[in-house]
Amino acid sequence: MEYQKIQTCPNDCILYRHEFQEMPKCPRCGVSRYKVKDDEECSSDGNSIKGPPAKVLWYLLIIPRLKRLFANGDDAKDLTWHANGRNCDGMIRRLAVSSQWKKIDRLYLDLGKEASNLRLGLASDGMNPYGSSST
């Protein structure tokens, strides 16, 4: 699957893309874009010598992933269940029959009419974004 690596400020100020793509240090906090070792000298203009990036964001492209899911007939059937396979017996068994889902359908009529429109949520149960630390 495709992904993009985007260099970022170590303090999460900016992404080094578009107008910031060629900058050697962050315009907001002044921190170097590259890893700096203690024994490294700075260049004459005060910027650190180029090296590996200090922080990199891995951007996972969602559109190609969704296209692959809809290309498979079984997966497409599961993805459109909220529009085609709902059981309307008054019991909340799935999120698609909840009052919040119905409110979104009322507020955004075009979104609710199209069966292939998806509503995405991020669940992080058990996931530690900070590596192996326990904090």
Side-chain angles (χ1 to χ4, degrees), residues 7 16 22-25 30-54:
Q7 293 181 13
Y16 288 106
E22 299 300 321
M23 292 186 169
K25 62 182 181 179
V31 174
S32 174
R33 167 185 192 161
Y34 305 103
K35 289 182 182 178
V36 180
K37 296 180 183 174
D38 294 334
D39 58 346
E40 259 182 19
E41 297 282 330
C42 288
S43 62
S44 59
D45 61 355
N47 298 326
S48 64
I49 301 168
K50 279 191 174 184

Side-chain angles (χ1 to χ4, degrees), residues 85-105:
R86 247 188 247 196
N87 184 1
C88 297
D89 60 358
M91 302 294 288
I92 298 179
R93 292 186 172 85
R94 305 268 191 228
L95 183 62
V97 294
S98 68
S99 60
Q100 293 88 350
W101 192 290
K102 292 176 184 176
K103 182 178 180 179
I104 290 173
D105 285 342

